[in-house]
Amino acid sequence: MSVLVYIEHVDGAFKKSALEAVSYAKEVGTLINQPVYALSIGEVAESELENIGTYGADKLITVNNAELKQFLNQAYASVIAEVATSVGADTVVLSNSFSGKGIAPRIAAKLNAALGDGAISLPQMSGDSWTIQKTAFSNKAIATEQLDGQKRVIALTPNSMEAKEHPTSMTIESYQPNLSPGDLSTVIKDIVRATNKVSLPEAEIVVSAGRGMKGPENWAMVEELANVLGAATACSKPVSDAGWRPHAEHVGQTGLAVTPKLYIAIGISGAIQHLAGVSASKTIVVINKDPEAPFFKVADYGIVGDAFEVLPQLIEAFKTYKN
Ligand code: FAD
């Protein structure tokens, strides 16, 4: 028996959330005394592959078929389930990323396994009955989910666990999967890159702005602050609805839910629908000229002031601090 962890990459470099998943899988493997096998699909740089041993994988399995160059839900789910069966993995771990959300239920169905998606904690185990914690009701509650049976698939929320180092002397071996025509029935014609330089769902710092910025012409200073901090940019719904920013940046109940270490909200009122997607951030800083803005109620730090005066000062201060 073993734990299999699927590790996602972008353009041949493993995502931070993938490293978190390997480290999580290692901790699960240690709890149940089982080896950890990591699975990489597609073309990945050699140095990236070797680095996986740092996070606790005992063996790395690589699948590098030409048909699997681009991420495909059906095909990737089939390959992961096939490899899990071949290495006797009762537990499959992956990141609850966009791609992870698409494939975790498919893998669980293929393996006849329980699905724990959106996990934010290590499992508690009592024989074949495991429980995990996950956020519920737009981050307003923590749910405890019970995973019964001999097999389970756990999708870990990005940024919820550290990618801790557990160095191993990892071996690497390649695997040739049996793909069926049905697995390859989706064809990706084109990939359009989002504007965010730092991936928003995975970002440790998010600089987010709302209608208080008055118009798209004023976003240069939001982007500059994000650049100085190595942050991703986000926005409120009306901002993306008005076309000031791309929809991919819209956070909240009807947009992305994010869990960064630091969320900086500029000129955003803090409506309940916005908070639904950001309140799980570890530290929230609010900049708003209205001292009565609801966002201040959930802020760890608040700056009452005009964004157009505060932002240039913050940018200067962070630049000085960095130098
Ligand atoms: P506003 O409410 O207009 O607030 C602007 C803020 O900027 C104010 O607090 C103001 O004091 C401040 N401000 C103005 N000028 C300055 C300045 N110069 N310096 C500093 N501060 C300044 N919204 C989301 O964001 N995400 C969602 O997913 C979402 N889903 C929704 C789903 C439903 C079903 C509904 C009904 C609404 C949803 N909304 C969502 C909309 C939400 O209710 C709010 O209308 C929206 O979040 C408000 O956006 P805002 O804070 O940018 O704008």
Side-chain angles (χ1 to χ4, degrees):
M1 284 190 289
S2 61
V3 178
L4 180 72
V5 53
Y6 164 62
I7 41 177
E8 260 179 69
H9 64 90
V10 176
D11 297 335
F14 288 121
K15 294 168 83 173
K16 184 173 136 286
S17 58
L19 305 180
E20 291 165 3
V22 179
S23 160
Y24 180 87
K26 174 66 182 176
E27 291 185 36
V28 173
T30 304
L31 287 172
I32 51 178
N33 204 15
Q34 289 180 6
V36 174
Y37 300 141
L39 170 63
S40 160
I41 306 177
E43 216 172 292
V44 176
E46 199 63 35
S47 58
E48 287 283 314
L49 296 176
E50 281 160 11
N51 190 31
I52 290 302
T54 313
Y55 296 93
D58 297 295
K59 188 195 280 183
L60 173 63
I61 298 163
T62 60
V63 171
N64 201 358
N65 295 38
E67 306 98 306
L68 299 171
K69 219 168 165 183
Q70 309 288 6
F71 176 80
L72 296 167
N73 272 324
Q74 293 102 310
Y76 274 49
S78 291
V79 171
I80 296 165
E82 185 184 319
V83 173
T85 305
S86 113
V87 299
D90 288 343
T91 306
V92 175
V93 173
L94 71 167
S95 169
N96 201 43
S97 60
F98 271 133
S99 322
K101 283 177 187 164
I103 55 176
R106 293 169 196 262
I107 302 166
K110 284 173 191 287
L111 295 175
N112 200 16
L115 173 63
D117 55 338
I120 57 167
S121 68
L122 278 170
Q124 300 283 319
M125 298 148 179
S126 173
D128 279 343
S129 182
W130 293 24
T131 55
I132 55 144
Q133 290 193 309
K134 61 190 280 187
T135 56
F137 301 119
S138 301
N139 293 325
K140 284 193 203 66
I142 305 280
T144 301
E145 196 167 73
Q146 191 166 328
L147 312 177
D148 285 340
Q150 285 171 357
K151 293 183 182 176
R152 73 285 311 171
V153 174
I154 300 179
L156 178 68
T157 296
N159 282 335
S160 60
M161 305 286 281
E162 293 282 327
K164 292 185 204 145
E165 295 194 3
H166 311 271
T168 53
S169 46
M170 183 186 74
T171 54
I172 303 181
E173 84 184 29
S174 66
Y175 182 87
Q176 190 57 42
N178 295 307
L179 291 164
S180 72
D183 290 330
L184 302 168
S185 56
T186 305
V187 177
I188 294 183
K189 297 275 189 195
D190 192 14
I191 293 181
V192 180
R193 300 272 169 211
T195 53
N196 256 315
K197 289 189 196 109
V198 179
S199 154
L200 179 54
E202 300 201 5
E204 291 199 345
I205 306 177
V206 173
V207 173
S208 186
R211 237 173 357 197
M213 289 308 294
K214 316 288 184 221
E217 65 281 5
N218 296 321
W219 242 262
M221 61 175 96
V222 176
E223 286 187 331
E224 195 177 353
L225 179 60
N227 284 343
V228 175
L229 294 172
T233 47
C235 67
S236 65
K237 183 174 183 294
V239 163
S240 64
D241 285 350
W244 296 1
R245 298 297 292 176
H247 277 289
E249 289 195 7
H250 155 200
V251 290
Q253 183 186 316
T254 47
L256 268 181
V258 291
T259 49
K261 288 187 176 154
L262 174 61
Y263 184 80
I264 304 179
I266 308 157
I268 303 176
S269 56
I272 192 159
Q273 296 89 354
H274 184 87
L275 298 182
V278 307
S279 56
S281 307
K282 293 202 173 70
T283 301
I284 296 179
V285 175
V286 170
I287 303 167
N288 198 304
K289 68 175 185 184
D290 175 7
E292 301 298 322
F295 222 142
F296 283 122
K297 292 203 177 86
V298 297
D300 297 286
Y301 301 93
I303 301 175
V304 179
D306 186 330
F308 295 90
E309 289 168 17
V310 175
L311 285 195
Q313 291 180 49
L314 275 183
I315 292 163
E316 261 330 292
F318 284 125
K319 277 186 182 164
T320 313
Y321 177 75
K322 274 178 93 175
N323 296 330

